[in-house]
Amino acid sequence: MECNALTQPQVATWLQKRIEKLKHLRRRAGYEPAELDPYYKTEADGCAAVKVAVANCELTFDLWQGMRNPATIGRFPLNFPQLWEFFAVNDMKRVHSDGSMNHLSAWRSYEEARRIFGRAVLVSAMLPISDDVFRSYRETIIQRGAGTSEDCAEAETETAATLDDAMTRLAADLYDGTRATLALGAAQLRILSDEIVPKIHQGNAHGPCKEVHFPHKSLAVLTGLAQFGVNRLTFRDELIEGEIERFIGPLCSMVIFDRHEPVMDGSGGVVLLTEEWYDHLSSLSDFTCTDSQVNRHRFCTYLADKSKSQMSCGMCLRYCPSGALRNSSPQRDGHYGGDLTQQESRFCGEHLQFDYASCREERVQKRNLYPGYYCGRCMAICGLQGLRREELFR
């Protein structure tokens, strides 16, 4: 691929082509029947409605500044030097031209990378799940109040695998002497976490229920791809043909080191990561912040502007079977209820750890009764029926 500075439209187009190629390969191999619609959303031409955002910064920039907290992204998220070292170790030449091993070969240090490359490019991508998948599950959730959805479970698994595969292949396409690319799919992240992060920085030392060390959801927010809802899911709203459409689904990330200088003016759809940008996003993600000037920019409508007679949503909390969401969210006035404030062990500073114990216990019990049980109700309800903030698009 051309070595010009990457733009958001370019990356989005390339990734969409990669997803379509994967679909055709699977159909040719007989893994995916031609007559079946994909589990992901499609555009008018039938291609995947993949959503992509691109950001950039200098290699000295602290990607996770102010976010290292066991109740949020964890204490030890992977940083640029660690990602570079993993790439460099697997990119060095270990064999002489005569075929003998060079046992003294050394990988390029991060200091050398900073002399070679001008910036880090962060790519966040979402493959939104189809509304048809959520629509069938909605009847189960609302009308019956119990039950599960095999289609929704399979959709989440299959779309995640498709996106991971496409991002990995795109990273290989982009790799050359002017770029160092690293796609962070599920399998790759497990390897990175095991090989790079010391054992004493894994598990509970990193943070409860933090299984890997690169937060896709937080990067999606940092790049502008999506926003957090009160349900701690990330989703994106867009105005399409007069209707607000919501996109929610699996995420994947890519980190690219290239020789271009950081884009400062937003050209090519590339976001510049700055401390001011972080402050803005932090306010949007914090639902204890009820300031109307902040709230008006949120996709999530949990906090409504009563002066404008807006409706509050909160459907994800209402249909959470374990009560974990209600036990992890502030009230609509921005304050935590008395029961929550007494759970001191779940707070780290001002941050409240998600009630993973209740969520997990509900799923484990149901799977003991019904193997293969799937929840995902907050995602299905939010994706299909969550109230939209219309004034955001006026």
Coordinates of all heavy atoms in Angstrom, one line a residue, residues 13-93:
T13 N -11.8 2.3 4.1 CA -12.0 1.6 2.8 C -11.2 0.3 2.8 O -11.8 -0.8 2.3 CB -11.6 2.5 1.7 OG1 -12.5 3.7 1.7 CG2 -11.8 1.8 0.3
W14 N -10.0 0.3 3.2 CA -9.1 -0.9 3.1 C -9.7 -1.9 4.0 O -9.7 -3.1 3.7 CB -7.7 -0.5 3.5 CG -7.0 0.3 2.5 CD1 -7.2 0.4 1.2 CD2 -5.9 1.2 2.8 NE1 -6.3 1.3 0.6 CE2 -5.5 1.8 1.6 CE3 -5.1 1.5 4.0 CZ2 -4.4 2.7 1.5 CZ3 -4.1 2.4 3.9 CH2 -3.7 3.0 2.6
L15 N -10.1 -1.5 5.2 CA -10.6 -2.5 6.2 C -11.9 -3.1 5.7 O -12.2 -4.4 5.8 CB -10.9 -1.9 7.5 CG -11.3 -2.9 8.7 CD1 -10.3 -4.0 8.9 CD2 -11.5 -2.1 10.0
Q16 N -12.8 -2.3 5.1 CA -14.0 -2.8 4.5 C -13.8 -3.8 3.4 O -14.4 -4.9 3.3 CB -14.9 -1.7 4.0 CG -16.3 -2.1 3.5 CD -17.0 -0.9 2.9 OE1 -16.6 -0.4 1.9 NE2 -18.2 -0.6 3.5
K17 N -12.8 -3.5 2.5 CA -12.4 -4.5 1.5 C -11.9 -5.8 2.1 O -12.2 -6.9 1.5 CB -11.4 -3.9 0.6 CG -11.9 -2.7 -0.3 CD -10.8 -2.2 -1.2 CE -11.4 -1.1 -2.1 NZ -10.4 -0.5 -3.0
R18 N -11.1 -5.7 3.2 CA -10.6 -6.9 3.8 C -11.7 -7.8 4.3 O -11.7 -9.0 4.2 CB -9.6 -6.5 4.9 CG -8.2 -6.5 4.5 CD -7.8 -7.9 4.1 NE -6.5 -8.0 3.5 CZ -6.1 -9.1 2.9 NH1 -6.9 -10.1 2.8 NH2 -4.8 -9.2 2.4
I19 N -12.7 -7.1 4.9 CA -13.9 -7.9 5.5 C -14.7 -8.5 4.3 O -15.1 -9.7 4.5 CB -14.8 -6.9 6.3 CG1 -14.1 -6.5 7.6 CG2 -16.1 -7.6 6.6 CD1 -14.8 -5.4 8.3
E20 N -14.8 -7.8 3.3 CA -15.6 -8.4 2.1 C -14.8 -9.6 1.5 O -15.4 -10.6 1.1 CB -15.8 -7.3 1.1 CG -16.8 -6.3 1.5 CD -18.1 -6.9 2.0 OE1 -18.8 -7.6 1.2 OE2 -18.5 -6.6 3.1
K21 N -13.5 -9.4 1.4 CA -12.7 -10.5 0.9 C -12.8 -11.8 1.8 O -12.9 -12.9 1.3 CB -11.2 -10.1 0.8 CG -10.4 -11.1 0.0 CD -9.0 -10.6 -0.3 CE -8.2 -11.6 -1.0 NZ -6.8 -11.1 -1.4
L22 N -12.8 -11.6 3.1 CA -12.9 -12.7 4.0 C -14.3 -13.4 3.8 O -14.4 -14.6 3.9 CB -12.8 -12.2 5.5 CG -11.4 -12.0 6.0 CD1 -11.5 -11.3 7.4 CD2 -10.7 -13.3 6.2
K23 N -15.3 -12.6 3.6 CA -16.7 -13.1 3.4 C -16.7 -14.0 2.2 O -17.2 -15.1 2.2 CB -17.7 -12.0 3.3 CG -19.1 -12.5 3.1 CD -20.1 -11.4 3.1 CE -20.0 -10.5 1.9 NZ -21.0 -9.5 1.8
H24 N -16.1 -13.5 1.1 CA -16.1 -14.3 -0.1 C -15.2 -15.6 0.0 O -15.6 -16.7 -0.5 CB -15.5 -13.5 -1.3 CG -16.5 -12.4 -1.7 ND1 -17.8 -12.6 -2.0 CD2 -16.3 -11.0 -1.8 CE1 -18.4 -11.4 -2.3 NE2 -17.5 -10.5 -2.2
L25 N -14.1 -15.5 0.8 CA -13.3 -16.7 1.0 C -14.0 -17.7 1.8 O -13.9 -18.9 1.5 CB -12.0 -16.3 1.7 CG -10.9 -15.5 0.9 CD1 -9.8 -15.0 1.8 CD2 -10.4 -16.4 -0.3
R26 N -14.8 -17.3 2.8 CA -15.5 -18.3 3.6 C -16.6 -18.9 2.8 O -16.9 -20.1 3.0 CB -16.0 -17.5 4.9 CG -14.9 -17.2 5.9 CD -15.4 -16.3 7.0 NE -14.3 -16.1 8.0 CZ -14.4 -15.2 9.0 NH1 -15.6 -14.5 9.1 NH2 -13.4 -15.1 9.8
R27 N -17.3 -18.1 2.0 CA -18.4 -18.7 1.2 C -17.8 -19.7 0.2 O -18.4 -20.7 -0.1 CB -19.1 -17.6 0.5 CG -20.0 -16.8 1.5 CD -20.8 -15.7 0.8 NE -21.8 -15.1 1.7 CZ -22.5 -14.1 1.4 NH1 -22.5 -13.5 0.2 NH2 -23.3 -13.5 2.3
R28 N -16.6 -19.4 -0.4 CA -16.1 -20.3 -1.4 C -15.6 -21.6 -0.7 O -15.7 -22.7 -1.3 CB -14.8 -19.6 -2.0 CG -14.4 -20.3 -3.3 CD -13.3 -19.6 -4.0 NE -13.0 -18.2 -3.5 CZ -12.0 -17.4 -4.0 NH1 -11.3 -17.8 -5.0 NH2 -11.8 -16.3 -3.4
A29 N -15.2 -21.5 0.6 CA -14.8 -22.7 1.3 C -16.0 -23.4 1.9 O -15.8 -24.5 2.5 CB -13.8 -22.3 2.4
G30 N -17.2 -22.9 1.8 CA -18.3 -23.5 2.3 C -18.6 -23.3 3.8 O -19.5 -23.9 4.3
Y31 N -17.9 -22.3 4.4 CA -18.1 -22.1 5.8 C -19.3 -21.1 6.0 O -19.9 -21.1 7.1 CB -16.9 -21.4 6.4 CG -15.6 -22.3 6.4 CD1 -14.4 -21.8 5.9 CD2 -15.7 -23.6 6.9 CE1 -13.3 -22.6 5.9 CE2 -14.5 -24.4 6.8 CZ -13.4 -23.9 6.4 OH -12.3 -24.7 6.3
E32 N -19.6 -20.4 5.0 CA -20.7 -19.4 5.2 C -21.6 -19.5 4.0 O -21.3 -19.1 2.9 CB -20.1 -18.0 5.2 CG -21.1 -16.9 5.6 CD -20.4 -15.5 5.8 OE1 -19.4 -15.5 6.6 OE2 -20.8 -14.6 5.2
P33 N -22.8 -20.0 4.2 CA -23.8 -20.2 3.1 C -24.1 -18.8 2.4 O -24.3 -17.8 3.0 CB -25.0 -20.7 3.7 CG -24.6 -21.3 5.0 CD -23.4 -20.5 5.4
A34 N -24.1 -18.9 1.0 CA -24.3 -17.6 0.3 C -25.6 -17.0 0.5 O -25.7 -15.7 0.4 CB -24.1 -17.9 -1.2
E35 N -26.6 -17.7 0.9 CA -28.0 -17.2 1.0 C -28.2 -16.5 2.3 O -29.2 -15.8 2.5 CB -29.0 -18.2 0.8 CG -29.1 -19.3 1.9 CD -28.1 -20.4 1.6 OE1 -27.3 -20.3 0.7 OE2 -28.2 -21.4 2.4
L36 N -27.3 -16.7 3.3 CA -27.5 -16.1 4.6 C -26.9 -14.7 4.7 O -25.9 -14.4 4.2 CB -26.8 -17.0 5.7 CG -27.4 -18.3 6.0 CD1 -26.6 -19.0 7.1 CD2 -28.9 -18.2 6.3
D37 N -27.7 -13.8 5.4 CA -27.2 -12.4 5.6 C -26.1 -12.5 6.7 O -26.2 -13.3 7.6 CB -28.3 -11.5 6.0 CG -29.3 -11.3 4.9 OD1 -28.9 -11.3 3.7 OD2 -30.5 -11.1 5.2
P38 N -25.1 -11.6 6.6 CA -24.1 -11.6 7.7 C -24.7 -11.1 9.0 O -25.7 -10.4 9.0 CB -23.0 -10.6 7.1 CG -23.8 -9.7 6.2 CD -24.8 -10.6 5.6
Y39 N -24.0 -11.4 10.1 CA -24.5 -10.9 11.4 C -24.2 -9.4 11.6 O -24.8 -8.9 12.5 CB -23.8 -11.7 12.5 CG -24.3 -13.1 12.7 CD1 -23.5 -14.2 12.7 CD2 -25.7 -13.3 13.0 CE1 -24.0 -15.5 12.9 CE2 -26.2 -14.6 13.2 CZ -25.3 -15.7 13.1 OH -25.8 -17.0 13.4
Y40 N -23.4 -8.9 10.8 CA -23.1 -7.4 11.0 C -23.9 -6.5 10.1 O -24.5 -7.0 9.1 CB -21.6 -7.2 10.8 CG -21.0 -7.8 9.4 CD1 -21.2 -7.1 8.2 CD2 -20.3 -8.9 9.4 CE1 -20.8 -7.6 7.0 CE2 -19.8 -9.5 8.2 CZ -20.0 -8.8 7.1 OH -19.5 -9.3 5.9
K41 N -23.9 -5.3 10.5 CA -24.7 -4.3 9.7 C -24.0 -4.1 8.3 O -22.8 -4.2 8.2 CB -24.8 -2.9 10.4 CG -25.7 -2.9 11.6 CD -26.0 -1.5 12.0 CE -27.0 -1.4 13.1 NZ -27.4 0.0 13.5
T42 N -24.8 -3.8 7.3 CA -24.3 -3.6 6.0 C -24.8 -2.2 5.4 O -25.8 -1.7 5.9 CB -24.7 -4.7 5.0 OG1 -26.1 -4.8 5.0 CG2 -24.1 -6.0 5.4
E43 N -24.1 -1.7 4.5 CA -24.5 -0.5 3.8 C -25.4 -0.8 2.6 O -25.7 -2.0 2.4 CB -23.3 0.3 3.3 CG -22.4 0.7 4.5 CD -21.1 1.4 4.0 OE1 -20.8 1.4 2.8 OE2 -20.5 2.1 4.9
A44 N -25.8 0.2 1.9 CA -26.8 0.0 0.8 C -26.3 -1.0 -0.3 O -27.0 -1.7 -0.9 CB -27.2 1.3 0.2
D45 N -24.9 -1.0 -0.5 CA -24.3 -1.9 -1.5 C -24.1 -3.3 -1.0 O -23.5 -4.1 -1.7 CB -23.0 -1.3 -2.0 CG -22.0 -1.0 -0.9 OD1 -22.3 -1.4 0.2 OD2 -20.9 -0.5 -1.3
G46 N -24.4 -3.5 0.3 CA -24.2 -4.9 0.9 C -22.9 -5.1 1.6 O -22.7 -6.1 2.2
C47 N -22.0 -4.1 1.5 CA -20.7 -4.2 2.1 C -20.8 -3.9 3.6 O -21.8 -3.2 4.1 CB -19.7 -3.2 1.5 SG -19.3 -3.6 -0.2
A48 N -19.9 -4.4 4.4 CA -19.9 -4.2 5.9 C -19.9 -2.7 6.2 O -19.1 -2.0 5.7 CB -18.7 -4.9 6.5
A49 N -20.8 -2.4 7.2 CA -20.8 -1.0 7.7 C -19.8 -0.8 8.8 O -20.2 -0.4 9.9 CB -22.2 -0.7 8.1
V50 N -18.5 -1.1 8.5 CA -17.5 -1.0 9.5 C -17.2 0.4 9.8 O -17.3 1.3 9.0 CB -16.2 -1.7 9.0 CG1 -15.6 -1.1 7.8 CG2 -15.2 -1.8 10.1
K51 N -17.0 0.7 11.1 CA -16.7 2.1 11.6 C -15.3 2.2 12.0 O -14.8 1.3 12.8 CB -17.7 2.5 12.7 CG -19.2 2.4 12.3 CD -19.5 3.4 11.2 CE -20.9 3.3 10.7 NZ -21.2 4.2 9.6
V52 N -14.6 3.2 11.5 CA -13.2 3.3 11.8 C -12.9 4.8 12.2 O -13.4 5.7 11.7 CB -12.3 3.0 10.6 CG1 -10.8 3.3 10.8 CG2 -12.6 1.5 10.1
A53 N -12.0 4.9 13.2 CA -11.5 6.2 13.6 C -10.0 6.1 13.7 O -9.4 5.0 14.1 CB -12.1 6.6 15.0
V54 N -9.3 7.2 13.4 CA -7.8 7.2 13.4 C -7.4 8.4 14.2 O -7.9 9.5 14.1 CB -7.3 7.3 12.0 CG1 -5.7 7.4 12.0 CG2 -7.8 6.2 11.1
A55 N -6.4 8.2 15.1 CA -5.8 9.3 15.9 C -4.3 9.2 15.8 O -3.8 8.1 15.4 CB -6.3 9.2 17.4
N56 N -3.6 10.2 16.2 CA -2.1 10.2 16.2 C -1.5 11.0 17.3 O -2.2 11.9 17.9 CB -1.5 10.5 14.8 CG -1.7 12.0 14.4 OD1 -1.1 12.4 13.4 ND2 -2.4 12.8 15.1
C57 N -0.3 10.8 17.6 CA 0.4 11.5 18.6 C 1.9 11.3 18.4 O 2.4 10.4 17.7 CB 0.0 11.1 20.0 SG 0.3 9.4 20.4
E58 N 2.7 12.0 19.2 CA 4.2 11.8 19.2 C 4.5 10.5 20.0 O 3.7 10.1 20.8 CB 4.9 13.0 19.8 CG 4.8 14.2 19.0 CD 5.5 15.4 19.6 OE1 5.9 15.3 20.8 OE2 5.7 16.4 18.9
L59 N 5.6 9.9 19.7 CA 6.0 8.7 20.4 C 6.3 8.9 21.9 O 6.4 7.9 22.6 CB 7.2 8.0 19.7 CG 6.8 7.0 18.6 CD1 6.2 7.8 17.4 CD2 8.0 6.2 18.1
T60 N 6.5 10.1 22.3 CA 6.7 10.4 23.7 C 5.4 10.6 24.5 O 5.4 10.8 25.7 CB 7.6 11.7 23.9 OG1 6.9 12.8 23.1 CG2 9.0 11.5 23.3
F61 N 4.3 10.6 23.8 CA 3.0 10.9 24.4 C 2.6 9.7 25.3 O 2.7 8.6 24.9 CB 1.9 11.2 23.3 CG 0.6 11.7 23.8 CD1 0.5 13.0 24.1 CD2 -0.5 10.9 24.0 CE1 -0.7 13.6 24.6 CE2 -1.7 11.4 24.5 CZ -1.8 12.7 24.8
D62 N 2.0 10.0 26.5 CA 1.5 9.0 27.4 C 0.1 8.7 27.0 O -0.8 9.4 27.3 CB 1.6 9.5 28.8 CG 1.1 8.4 29.8 OD1 0.8 7.3 29.4 OD2 1.1 8.7 31.0
L63 N -0.1 7.5 26.3 CA -1.4 7.2 25.8 C -2.5 7.0 26.9 O -3.7 7.4 26.7 CB -1.3 5.9 25.0 CG -2.6 5.4 24.3 CD1 -3.2 6.4 23.3 CD2 -2.3 4.0 23.6
W64 N -2.1 6.5 28.1 CA -3.1 6.2 29.1 C -3.0 7.2 30.3 O -3.3 6.8 31.4 CB -2.9 4.8 29.6 CG -2.8 3.8 28.5 CD1 -1.8 2.9 28.2 CD2 -3.9 3.5 27.5 NE1 -2.2 2.2 27.1 CE2 -3.4 2.5 26.7 CE3 -5.2 4.1 27.3 CZ2 -4.2 2.0 25.6 CZ3 -5.9 3.5 26.3 CH2 -5.4 2.5 25.5
Q65 N -2.6 8.4 30.0 CA -2.4 9.4 31.1 C -3.7 9.6 31.9 O -4.7 9.7 31.4 CB -1.9 10.7 30.6 CG -2.8 11.3 29.5 CD -2.3 12.6 28.9 OE1 -2.4 13.7 29.5 NE2 -1.6 12.5 27.8
G66 N -3.5 9.5 33.2 CA -4.6 9.7 34.1 C -5.7 8.6 34.2 O -6.7 8.8 34.8
M67 N -5.4 7.5 33.5 CA -6.4 6.5 33.3 C -6.0 5.2 34.0 O -6.8 4.2 34.1 CB -6.7 6.2 31.8 CG -7.2 7.4 31.1 SD -7.2 7.1 29.3 CE -8.4 5.8 29.2
R68 N -4.7 5.1 34.5 CA -4.3 3.8 35.1 C -4.9 3.7 36.5 O -4.5 4.2 37.4 CB -2.7 3.8 35.2 CG -2.1 3.8 33.8 CD -0.5 3.9 34.0 NE 0.1 3.8 32.7 CZ 0.3 4.9 31.9 NH1 -0.1 6.1 32.3 NH2 0.9 4.7 30.7
N69 N -5.9 2.9 36.5 CA -6.7 2.7 37.7 C -7.3 1.3 37.6 O -7.9 0.9 36.6 CB -7.8 3.7 37.8 CG -8.5 3.7 39.1 OD1 -9.2 2.7 39.5 ND2 -8.5 4.8 39.8
P70 N -7.2 0.5 38.7 CA -7.8 -0.9 38.7 C -9.3 -0.9 38.5 O -9.8 -2.0 38.0 CB -7.4 -1.5 40.0 CG -7.2 -0.3 40.9 CD -6.6 0.8 40.0
A71 N -9.9 0.2 38.7 CA -11.4 0.2 38.6 C -11.8 0.7 37.2 O -13.0 0.7 36.9 CB -12.0 1.1 39.6
T72 N -10.8 1.1 36.3 CA -11.2 1.6 35.0 C -10.4 0.7 34.0 O -10.9 -0.4 33.6 CB -10.8 3.0 34.8 OG1 -9.4 3.2 35.2 CG2 -11.6 3.9 35.7
I73 N -9.3 1.1 33.5 CA -8.6 0.3 32.4 C -7.5 -0.6 33.0 O -6.9 -1.4 32.3 CB -7.9 1.2 31.4 CG1 -6.7 2.0 32.0 CG2 -8.9 2.1 30.7 CD1 -5.9 2.7 31.0
G74 N -7.3 -0.6 34.3 CA -6.3 -1.4 35.0 C -5.0 -0.6 35.2 O -4.8 0.5 34.7
R75 N -4.2 -1.1 36.1 CA -2.9 -0.4 36.5 C -1.8 -0.5 35.4 O -1.0 0.4 35.4 CB -2.4 -1.0 37.8 CG -3.2 -0.6 39.0 CD -2.4 -1.0 40.3 NE -3.1 -0.6 41.5 CZ -3.9 -1.4 42.2 NH1 -4.1 -2.6 41.8 NH2 -4.5 -0.9 43.3
F76 N -1.8 -1.6 34.6 CA -0.7 -1.8 33.8 C -1.1 -2.0 32.3 O -0.8 -3.1 31.7 CB 0.1 -3.0 34.3 CG 0.6 -2.9 35.7 CD1 -0.1 -3.6 36.7 CD2 1.6 -2.0 36.1 CE1 0.3 -3.5 38.0 CE2 2.0 -1.9 37.4 CZ 1.3 -2.6 38.4
P77 N -1.7 -1.0 31.7 CA -2.0 -1.2 30.3 C -0.7 -1.1 29.4 O 0.2 -0.4 29.8 CB -2.9 0.0 30.0 CG -2.5 1.1 31.0 CD -2.1 0.3 32.2
L78 N -0.7 -1.8 28.3 CA 0.5 -1.8 27.4 C 0.7 -0.4 26.9 O -0.2 0.3 26.4 CB 0.3 -2.8 26.3 CG 0.2 -4.2 26.7 CD1 -0.3 -5.1 25.6 CD2 1.7 -4.7 27.1
N79 N 2.0 0.0 26.9 CA 2.3 1.4 26.4 C 3.1 1.3 25.1 O 3.4 0.2 24.6 CB 3.1 2.2 27.5 CG 4.4 1.4 27.9 OD1 5.0 0.7 27.2 ND2 4.8 1.6 29.2
F80 N 3.4 2.4 24.5 CA 4.1 2.4 23.2 C 5.5 1.7 23.3 O 5.8 0.9 22.4 CB 4.3 3.8 22.8 CG 3.1 4.5 22.3 CD1 2.9 5.9 22.4 CD2 2.1 3.8 21.6 CE1 1.7 6.5 22.0 CE2 0.9 4.4 21.2 CZ 0.8 5.7 21.3
P81 N 6.3 1.9 24.3 CA 7.6 1.2 24.4 C 7.4 -0.3 24.4 O 8.2 -1.1 23.7 CB 8.3 1.7 25.6 CG 7.7 3.1 25.8 CD 6.3 3.0 25.4
Q82 N 6.4 -0.8 25.1 CA 6.2 -2.3 25.2 C 5.7 -2.8 23.9 O 6.2 -3.9 23.4 CB 5.2 -2.6 26.3 CG 5.7 -2.3 27.7 CD 4.6 -2.5 28.8 OE1 3.5 -2.0 28.6 NE2 5.0 -3.1 29.9
L83 N 4.8 -2.1 23.3 CA 4.3 -2.6 22.0 C 5.4 -2.6 20.9 O 5.5 -3.5 20.1 CB 3.1 -1.7 21.5 CG 1.9 -1.8 22.3 CD1 0.9 -0.7 21.9 CD2 1.2 -3.2 22.2
W84 N 6.3 -1.5 21.0 CA 7.4 -1.5 20.0 C 8.3 -2.6 20.2 O 8.8 -3.3 19.3 CB 8.1 -0.2 20.1 CG 9.4 -0.2 19.4 CD1 10.7 -0.4 19.9 CD2 9.6 -0.3 18.0 NE1 11.6 -0.5 19.0 CE2 11.0 -0.4 17.7 CE3 8.7 -0.2 16.9 CZ2 11.5 -0.5 16.5 CZ3 9.3 -0.2 15.6 CH2 10.6 -0.4 15.4
E85 N 8.7 -2.9 21.5 CA 9.6 -4.0 21.8 C 9.1 -5.3 21.3 O 9.9 -6.1 20.7 CB 9.9 -4.0 23.2 CG 10.8 -2.8 23.7 CD 11.0 -2.8 25.2 OE1 10.6 -3.7 25.9 OE2 11.7 -1.9 25.7
F86 N 7.8 -5.6 21.4 CA 7.3 -6.8 20.9 C 7.4 -6.9 19.4 O 7.8 -7.9 18.9 CB 5.8 -7.0 21.3 CG 5.2 -8.2 20.9 CD1 5.3 -9.4 21.6 CD2 4.4 -8.3 19.7 CE1 4.7 -10.6 21.1 CE2 3.8 -9.4 19.2 CZ 4.0 -10.6 19.9
F87 N 7.1 -5.8 18.8 CA 7.3 -5.8 17.3 C 8.7 -5.9 16.9 O 9.0 -6.8 16.0 CB 6.7 -4.4 16.7 CG 7.0 -4.3 15.3 CD1 6.1 -4.8 14.3 CD2 8.1 -3.6 14.8 CE1 6.4 -4.6 13.0 CE2 8.4 -3.5 13.5 CZ 7.5 -4.0 12.5
A88 N 9.6 -5.2 17.6 CA 11.0 -5.2 17.2 C 11.7 -6.6 17.4 O 12.5 -7.0 16.5 CB 11.8 -4.2 18.0
V89 N 11.3 -7.3 18.5 CA 11.9 -8.6 18.7 C 11.5 -9.6 17.6 O 12.3 -10.5 17.2 CB 11.4 -9.1 20.1 CG1 11.7 -10.6 20.2 CG2 12.1 -8.4 21.2
N90 N 10.3 -9.4 17.1 CA 9.8 -10.3 16.1 C 10.0 -9.8 14.6 O 9.6 -10.4 13.7 CB 8.3 -10.5 16.3 CG 8.0 -11.4 17.5 OD1 8.1 -12.6 17.5 ND2 7.6 -10.7 18.6
D91 N 10.8 -8.7 14.5 CA 11.1 -8.1 13.2 C 12.6 -8.1 12.9 O 13.0 -7.7 11.9 CB 10.5 -6.7 13.2 CG 10.6 -6.1 11.8 OD1 10.1 -6.8 10.8 OD2 11.2 -5.0 11.6
M92 N 13.4 -8.6 13.9 CA 14.9 -8.5 13.7 C 15.4 -9.6 12.9 O 14.8 -10.7 12.8 CB 15.6 -8.4 15.0 CG 15.5 -9.6 15.9 SD 16.4 -9.4 17.5 CE 16.1 -11.0 18.2
K93 N 16.5 -9.4 12.2 CA 17.2 -10.5 11.4 C 18.1 -11.4 12.3 O 19.0 -10.9 12.9 CB 18.0 -9.8 10.3 CG 17.2 -8.8 9.4 CD 16.0 -9.5 8.8 CE 15.2 -8.5 7.9 NZ 14.0 -9.1 7.3

